[in-house]
Amino acid sequence: MRNRIVLQGIRQTFEDGGSERVILNELDLEVAEGELVAIMGPSGSGKSTFLSIAGALLEPQQGQVLLDGKSITGKESKDIAEIRLRNIGFIFQSANLIPYLKVEEQLILVAKLAGVDKSEASKRATVLLDTLALSARRTAYPDKLSGGERQRVAIARALMNDPAVLLADEPTASLDADRGHDVVSLIEKQAKEQRKSAVMVTHDERILSLCDRVLYLENGKLNAK
Ligand code: ADP
Ligand code: MG
């Protein structure tokens, strides 16, 4: 089974009042296709830093990130932006939808940015909206959606360019227990069916049973517990 995302020897430090604080220390992670890994850890342990590096939003000081076996570390920023757009799907704590775009347009936009033609993008959006039970909300604006619907649109948008990897930062934080469970079930199902690797940072104990592995970020490394 291939690992769609691999992090090797990641080290990240930040300046803290004149001294250097080590946030990530020789951190390693491999996530296989179809696998959903949950990352937990106290506030300030480096979870967001880890996710930024995994998602090519932040270049690590040491180590490398591989997507489908190829290193994305050390590339030019324009290439990195392209890799992010095509190979990584982000799902954030709040859905971050664009207020003046209808549901369907939110999806079509990211495909257009990747150079997909309009009719192809529109077809794919229709399929994804159907998959995520959003067909009836196709022409709704974000402010007319419930919290769960918004997160489902964010998942559909993250899947639009068929990325290798799904990265989620506390995707259930703004949802009640049932909706949170539904949203993570959908992430898990998409990872399995579409053979993607998924990594989710969470504080939400209730959804851990849906994950294949739970890792704890401690002292700059990811450990099983
Ligand atoms: P978490 O998401 O687990 O709460 P973060 O990754 O956001 O943790 O932050 C880990 C530590 O690194 C915190 O102490 C934070 O203040 C520090 N930190 C994060 N980003 C920066 C930055 N850009 N510059 C300086 N310190 C940072
Ligand atoms: Mg954080």
Side-chain angles (χ1 to χ4, degrees), residues 9-12 22-28 219-222:
I10 302 293
R11 182 178 166 86
Q12 192 69 25
V22 181
I23 305 299
L24 304 177
N25 189 12
E26 299 290 325
L27 178 146
D28 297 312
N219 304 318
K221 287 191 172 58
L222 288 169

Side-chain angles (χ1 to χ4, degrees), residues 114-132:
V116 176
D117 76 58
K118 177 91 204 266
S119 75
E120 192 55 43
S122 175
K123 264 188 233 158
R124 183 155 173 80
T126 302
V127 171
L128 279 172
L129 291 176
D130 189 36
T131 306
L132 295 173

